[in-house]
Amino acid sequence: MILRFTISILCACILVLGLLCLSPLAQPKNGGAALNLPRLVKQGTATQLLVHNRPFLLIAGELGNSSASNLDYLRPIWPKLEKLHLNAVLVPVYWELLEPAEGKFDFSLVDGIVESARKYNLKLVLLWFATWKNSMSCYAPYWVKTDPKRFPRARGKDGQAMEILTPFSEENRNADARAFASLTKHLQKTDAREQTVVMIQVENEIGMIPDARDHSQQANEAYAGQVPAEFMTYLRRNKNDLAPEFAEIWRQNGEKTSGTWEEVFGKGPPAEEIFMAWHFAGYANSVAEAGKKEYALPMYANAALIRPGYQPGQYPSAGPLPHLINVWRAAAPAIDFIAPDIYFRNFSEWCAKYDRSGNPLFIPEAQNSQSLANAFFAVAQHNAMGYSPFSIESLDADRTLHVAGAYDVLRQLAPLVLEHQGKGEMAGVLLDDESQKTQLRIGEFVFNVAHEYSWRYAIRSQGDPPRFGGLIIMLSRDEFIIAGTGLIVTFAPRSGDAIAGIASLHEGVFTDGKWVPGRRMNGDQSHQGRHLHLPGNAFGIQRVRLYLYK
Ligand code: DGJ
């Protein structure tokens, strides 16, 4: 009797659990820790992306703009991504193809992409190419483009309409938000359990060009009006944590707490840019908010960066740029962070600018000809959530080898990197023409890092110096993992007059997170015990134990 009763209780439990797992209704509608959706969490000073409750490092690449518009075109690309050792891919979703007629949605491309990503064990970051793509509105559907009365355009100083939808239109904003919400609703239904899609980029490289602001009638009226009180309140409350470049503009104009845009921020392009940033960010916020209501994935906005010396209007202005982070934060709380597309050589400078005042770093686009040493540096020195070279499917043979080699090593290191992010137990290094040597301090040791010898020969013959770099992770007081490419590392104690020597040094790999030592590196491989050397023709991992003597 008791046995029969226990069996029926057990069966009932199994049935209920089974139903919970199978029913889409059991899937959460909104985000939050309790619902176990992909989300951002703090670990010390780092912000990490959690997927299925575990930190995830996006070792990624972004597809070229048109590749995801045709599933047949994509078919041969998936295995290539796998061979490159990616664990995630950034893929556009095009408004014009998702909603070819108003209110009629076609999810076949998205579904096909999610299905293939699962097959190749890849996570997806979707890029919502909608109202704006690199400033322009080329991805707006035909029914939007051809109805400028209902969906008005931004205008130049001369009153000329541009191929840019104005952010000063409720119709534009609502049409985009409705389409985006349909997309996230669909993802909620089809992907909340598997969680193949882990994050979404809202729009792409928003920015105003060739004028710093829109000159449509609605824009002119808003520009002549008062700075919204909520923005002024935000600035007063966050006065001590404003981006220095932005604080300077406000200070130079007397730090007023009310007035028109020109009264508060002065006359000219800088004020116009702040004004546009407020409106762009507010628009992106409405889109993100509508999407999150259906399915609360982490969402970010990306920016085209500024060439040295360029003024607002000369670059895509008012986007999610580091000097405008306060404007974006105040106007777009539904955008979780802002992100740089780094195509310039001064990679480390841009990382530092985006790793400010709690903004987590993620690099959705990097120049695909740049060294992947950048990725090692970013994840270790700036706790980056991930790295992604642009047009990853179009690498030539040399670049394929480079990326595959680097990502193979970074995938092995990912669990360790994630464990140590934000705790002060890890550092990244990037050596370029301006900083040929550097010192890192971790725990009780100083690491002097320099280029390996090949660097000198390379600049003699090529002009552009190769970029070497890597990372150091403290395993215990005297043991460290050092990984990367093209580095010579010597050691010293952080204090006292003792000398640091190498107790043992191995190359090796991580297999399923476990260290598997290879050769013991001594003799010529460590310059007879003087240093650790990571050759510049590949990416590698070495584990060193240090000791002190006098
Ligand atoms: C940056 C954009 O975000 C990408 O979509 C693409 O247009 C690249 N530029 C091209 O270099």
Side-chain angles (χ1 to χ4, degrees), residues 333-351:
I335 298 288
D336 296 301
F337 62 92
I338 61 172
D341 292 345
I342 312 184
Y343 286 81
F344 300 138
R345 259 190 83 80
N346 55 344
F347 182 85
S348 52
E349 261 174 60
W350 285 108
C351 286

mmCIF file of all heavy atoms in Angstrom, residues 333-351:
data_model
loop_
_atom_site.group_PDB
_atom_site.id
_atom_site.type_symbol
_atom_site.label_atom_id
_atom_site.label_comp_id
_atom_site.label_asym_id
_atom_site.label_seq_id
_atom_site.Cartn_x
_atom_site.Cartn_y
_atom_site.Cartn_z
ATOM 1 N N PRO A 333 17.926 53.691 -20.118
ATOM 2 C CA PRO A 333 18.205 52.689 -19.085
ATOM 3 C C PRO A 333 17.995 51.247 -19.561
ATOM 4 O O PRO A 333 18.553 50.320 -18.970
ATOM 5 C CB PRO A 333 17.224 53.048 -17.958
ATOM 6 C CG PRO A 333 16.192 53.924 -18.586
ATOM 7 C CD PRO A 333 16.856 54.619 -19.740
ATOM 8 N N ALA A 334 17.220 51.056 -20.646
ATOM 9 C CA ALA A 334 17.011 49.681 -21.129
ATOM 10 C C ALA A 334 18.199 49.176 -21.967
ATOM 11 O O ALA A 334 18.267 47.998 -22.296
ATOM 12 C CB ALA A 334 15.728 49.601 -21.951
ATOM 13 N N ILE A 335 19.101 50.085 -22.326
ATOM 14 C CA ILE A 335 20.336 49.663 -23.011
ATOM 15 C C ILE A 335 21.349 49.368 -21.901
ATOM 16 O O ILE A 335 21.730 50.265 -21.143
ATOM 17 C CB ILE A 335 20.853 50.795 -23.940
ATOM 18 C CG1 ILE A 335 19.832 51.130 -25.036
ATOM 19 C CG2 ILE A 335 22.216 50.464 -24.535
ATOM 20 C CD1 ILE A 335 19.666 50.110 -26.132
ATOM 21 N N ASP A 336 21.785 48.113 -21.805
ATOM 22 C CA ASP A 336 22.594 47.713 -20.654
ATOM 23 C C ASP A 336 24.012 48.266 -20.692
ATOM 24 O O ASP A 336 24.618 48.486 -19.652
ATOM 25 C CB ASP A 336 22.646 46.185 -20.551
ATOM 26 C CG ASP A 336 21.254 45.621 -20.295
ATOM 27 O OD1 ASP A 336 20.657 46.000 -19.282
ATOM 28 O OD2 ASP A 336 20.747 44.836 -21.128
ATOM 29 N N PHE A 337 24.556 48.447 -21.892
ATOM 30 C CA PHE A 337 25.891 49.036 -21.981
ATOM 31 C C PHE A 337 26.144 49.534 -23.400
ATOM 32 O O PHE A 337 25.363 49.238 -24.308
ATOM 33 C CB PHE A 337 26.986 48.042 -21.540
ATOM 34 C CG PHE A 337 27.077 46.798 -22.384
ATOM 35 C CD1 PHE A 337 27.931 46.725 -23.474
ATOM 36 C CD2 PHE A 337 26.312 45.669 -22.080
ATOM 37 C CE1 PHE A 337 28.022 45.567 -24.245
ATOM 38 C CE2 PHE A 337 26.400 44.510 -22.845
ATOM 39 C CZ PHE A 337 27.258 44.467 -23.923
ATOM 40 N N ILE A 338 27.210 50.321 -23.528
ATOM 41 C CA ILE A 338 27.582 50.805 -24.861
ATOM 42 C C ILE A 338 28.892 50.118 -25.266
ATOM 43 O O ILE A 338 29.697 49.738 -24.410
ATOM 44 C CB ILE A 338 27.691 52.348 -24.907
ATOM 45 C CG1 ILE A 338 28.758 52.865 -23.939
ATOM 46 C CG2 ILE A 338 26.335 52.985 -24.618
ATOM 47 C CD1 ILE A 338 29.039 54.366 -24.079
ATOM 48 N N ALA A 339 29.082 49.965 -26.571
ATOM 49 C CA ALA A 339 30.195 49.134 -27.036
ATOM 50 C C ALA A 339 30.900 49.768 -28.236
ATOM 51 O O ALA A 339 30.248 50.353 -29.102
ATOM 52 C CB ALA A 339 29.654 47.759 -27.431
ATOM 53 N N PRO A 340 32.225 49.622 -28.286
ATOM 54 C CA PRO A 340 32.985 50.220 -29.404
ATOM 55 C C PRO A 340 33.256 49.242 -30.543
ATOM 56 O O PRO A 340 33.554 48.075 -30.316
ATOM 57 C CB PRO A 340 34.324 50.563 -28.720
ATOM 58 C CG PRO A 340 34.501 49.486 -27.684
ATOM 59 C CD PRO A 340 33.111 49.056 -27.244
ATOM 60 N N ASP A 341 33.156 49.717 -31.774
ATOM 61 C CA ASP A 341 33.623 48.956 -32.939
ATOM 62 C C ASP A 341 35.034 49.470 -33.222
ATOM 63 O O ASP A 341 35.201 50.586 -33.725
ATOM 64 C CB ASP A 341 32.712 49.218 -34.147
ATOM 65 C CG ASP A 341 31.311 48.627 -33.937
ATOM 66 O OD1 ASP A 341 31.150 47.797 -33.013
ATOM 67 O OD2 ASP A 341 30.393 49.013 -34.684
ATOM 68 N N ILE A 342 36.037 48.672 -32.896
ATOM 69 C CA ILE A 342 37.412 49.207 -32.922
ATOM 70 C C ILE A 342 38.132 48.796 -34.205
ATOM 71 O O ILE A 342 38.560 47.661 -34.362
ATOM 72 C CB ILE A 342 38.223 48.771 -31.679
ATOM 73 C CG1 ILE A 342 37.394 49.010 -30.401
ATOM 74 C CG2 ILE A 342 39.542 49.536 -31.630
ATOM 75 C CD1 ILE A 342 38.125 48.700 -29.111
ATOM 76 N N TYR A 343 38.236 49.770 -35.108
ATOM 77 C CA TYR A 343 38.947 49.549 -36.367
ATOM 78 C C TYR A 343 40.289 50.281 -36.363
ATOM 79 O O TYR A 343 41.053 50.160 -37.295
ATOM 80 C CB TYR A 343 38.098 50.023 -37.551
ATOM 81 C CG TYR A 343 36.934 49.084 -37.844
ATOM 82 C CD1 TYR A 343 35.755 49.145 -37.113
ATOM 83 C CD2 TYR A 343 37.038 48.109 -38.836
ATOM 84 C CE1 TYR A 343 34.706 48.277 -37.370
ATOM 85 C CE2 TYR A 343 35.989 47.234 -39.105
ATOM 86 C CZ TYR A 343 34.828 47.320 -38.368
ATOM 87 O OH TYR A 343 33.792 46.446 -38.634
ATOM 88 N N PHE A 344 40.540 51.082 -35.327
ATOM 89 C CA PHE A 344 41.783 51.863 -35.281
ATOM 90 C C PHE A 344 42.885 51.086 -34.573
ATOM 91 O O PHE A 344 42.616 50.167 -33.793
ATOM 92 C CB PHE A 344 41.544 53.189 -34.553
ATOM 93 C CG PHE A 344 40.505 54.053 -35.226
ATOM 94 C CD1 PHE A 344 39.560 54.731 -34.475
ATOM 95 C CD2 PHE A 344 40.477 54.193 -36.608
ATOM 96 C CE1 PHE A 344 38.600 55.533 -35.081
ATOM 97 C CE2 PHE A 344 39.519 54.984 -37.235
ATOM 98 C CZ PHE A 344 38.576 55.657 -36.463
ATOM 99 N N ARG A 345 44.126 51.530 -34.805
ATOM 100 C CA ARG A 345 45.264 50.826 -34.195
ATOM 101 C C ARG A 345 45.349 51.052 -32.688
ATOM 102 O O ARG A 345 45.871 50.221 -31.960
ATOM 103 C CB ARG A 345 46.573 51.298 -34.850
ATOM 104 C CG ARG A 345 47.101 50.336 -35.882
ATOM 105 C CD ARG A 345 48.502 50.694 -36.331
ATOM 106 N NE ARG A 345 49.526 50.187 -35.419
ATOM 107 C CZ ARG A 345 49.971 48.934 -35.413
ATOM 108 N NH1 ARG A 345 49.494 48.053 -36.254
ATOM 109 N NH2 ARG A 345 50.918 48.564 -34.565
ATOM 110 N N ASN A 346 44.858 52.222 -32.206
ATOM 111 C CA ASN A 346 45.015 52.504 -30.764
ATOM 112 C C ASN A 346 43.938 51.761 -29.952
ATOM 113 O O ASN A 346 43.133 52.354 -29.236
ATOM 114 C CB ASN A 346 44.986 54.014 -30.482
ATOM 115 C CG ASN A 346 43.743 54.688 -31.032
ATOM 116 O OD1 ASN A 346 43.044 54.113 -31.867
ATOM 117 N ND2 ASN A 346 43.454 55.877 -30.555
ATOM 118 N N PHE A 347 43.993 50.450 -30.081
ATOM 119 C CA PHE A 347 43.003 49.558 -29.491
ATOM 120 C C PHE A 347 42.900 49.749 -27.969
ATOM 121 O O PHE A 347 41.807 49.850 -27.408
ATOM 122 C CB PHE A 347 43.407 48.112 -29.828
ATOM 123 C CG PHE A 347 42.447 47.082 -29.320
ATOM 124 C CD1 PHE A 347 41.318 46.748 -30.062
ATOM 125 C CD2 PHE A 347 42.659 46.445 -28.112
ATOM 126 C CE1 PHE A 347 40.421 45.797 -29.592
ATOM 127 C CE2 PHE A 347 41.771 45.494 -27.637
ATOM 128 C CZ PHE A 347 40.648 45.173 -28.377
ATOM 129 N N SER A 348 44.056 49.796 -27.313
ATOM 130 C CA SER A 348 44.023 49.843 -25.841
ATOM 131 C C SER A 348 43.393 51.149 -25.344
ATOM 132 O O SER A 348 42.697 51.163 -24.335
ATOM 133 C CB SER A 348 45.408 49.637 -25.241
ATOM 134 O OG SER A 348 46.320 50.520 -25.823
ATOM 135 N N GLU A 349 43.619 52.242 -26.072
ATOM 136 C CA GLU A 349 43.020 53.533 -25.659
ATOM 137 C C GLU A 349 41.494 53.457 -25.668
ATOM 138 O O GLU A 349 40.819 53.924 -24.766
ATOM 139 C CB GLU A 349 43.406 54.622 -26.654
ATOM 140 C CG GLU A 349 44.546 55.485 -26.208
ATOM 141 C CD GLU A 349 44.930 56.423 -27.335
ATOM 142 O OE1 GLU A 349 44.088 57.229 -27.772
ATOM 143 O OE2 GLU A 349 46.091 56.321 -27.801
ATOM 144 N N TRP A 350 40.946 52.851 -26.728
ATOM 145 C CA TRP A 350 39.479 52.762 -26.830
ATOM 146 C C TRP A 350 38.911 51.815 -25.784
ATOM 147 O O TRP A 350 37.835 52.053 -25.231
ATOM 148 C CB TRP A 350 39.047 52.379 -28.248
ATOM 149 C CG TRP A 350 39.175 53.534 -29.199
ATOM 150 C CD1 TRP A 350 40.096 53.691 -30.193
ATOM 151 C CD2 TRP A 350 38.391 54.734 -29.193
ATOM 152 N NE1 TRP A 350 39.925 54.899 -30.827
ATOM 153 C CE2 TRP A 350 38.881 55.566 -30.234
ATOM 154 C CE3 TRP A 350 37.316 55.210 -28.437
ATOM 155 C CZ2 TRP A 350 38.338 56.820 -30.527
ATOM 156 C CZ3 TRP A 350 36.769 56.459 -28.729
ATOM 157 C CH2 TRP A 350 37.281 57.250 -29.755
ATOM 158 N N CYS A 351 39.672 50.730 -25.496
ATOM 159 C CA CYS A 351 39.209 49.824 -24.429
ATOM 160 C C CYS A 351 39.089 50.607 -23.119
ATOM 161 O O CYS A 351 38.085 50.497 -22.406
ATOM 162 C CB CYS A 351 40.200 48.678 -24.222
ATOM 163 S SG CYS A 351 40.122 47.459 -25.530
#
